Amino acid sequence: MRLIFLHGWGANAADLMPLGEALQAQLPASSVELHVQSWDAPDAHPAGGGARQWYDLNTPGWPQHPQAVRDLGKRLDTELRAAGSEPVVLFGFSQGAAMAIEVGLPRPLAGVIGCSGYPHPNWSLEHVPQAPTLLMHGSGDVVVPVAAQAALTAEISRVGGQVEVFTFSGGHTIPVEAVERAATFLAAL
């Protein structure tokens, strides 16, 4: 199974790679092996130092967001063609979760996992997502309030999509209990 990570705003691809090892360690021995990739966002983050962003959150209205979605969609389509029959799962954190949800749900993925994600402005689904979705969020998240999880869940449910919700105590992070829940989700795919 190909597992593709999309990092959060101000991080980079290396940020989530240890999560791949943690997930593999949590999977039952009978589960498939994870072939982990972590993709760098296309734009440099204003903080510098190797930080990346999918689009600039400091620009009102996020005008680069539509182009970022198109570009990531093209990259994901290429990956899906290369994967052939191998299942592909997107796992995004924060801004990466928002991208994974918008780009991944319309495509034939095996699953989409979003942690601390949010819906983009005017985001809506036209069709039932092909992939089951796991939305995880910290109840004490002050960066992306947990209400974003409810908004995403409502939209996925509205069109009849399969969505699981896991809310953990804590903030804007991926704690051990979220890793365990994500591993359970992956093992069931």
Side-chain angles (χ1 to χ4, degrees), residues 3 5 7 12-26 34 36-38 91 174 179:
L3 178 62
F5 290 121
H7 63 78
N12 61 38
D15 184 56
L16 294 177
M17 284 304 288
L19 181 57
E21 294 172 16
L23 286 166
Q24 186 69 62
Q26 289 287 331
L34 298 178
V36 178
Q37 301 176 33
S38 192
F91 187 137
I174 306 174
V179 175

Side-chain angles (χ1 to χ4, degrees), residues 101-188:
I101 290 160
E102 184 163 352
V103 173
L105 292 185
R107 290 176 166 76
L109 297 173
V112 174
I113 302 171
C115 187
S116 302
Y118 54 89
H120 287 126
N122 304 313
W123 172 74
S124 65
L125 290 167
E126 296 178 19
H127 305 288
V128 176
Q130 299 181 50
T133 305
L134 171 62
L135 299 176
M136 304 185 296
H137 215 110
S139 60
D141 192 334
V142 296
V143 177
V144 178
V146 72
Q149 180 187 49
L152 290 167
T153 302
E155 179 59 19
I156 296 167
S157 298
R158 181 189 66 80
V159 297
Q162 180 184 345
V163 60
E164 297 177 34
V165 175
F166 179 70
T167 306
F168 52 87
S169 63
H172 198 68
T173 187
I174 306 174
V176 171
E177 57 267 33
V179 175
E180 292 169 351
R181 182 63 194 93
T184 300
F185 179 81
L186 290 171

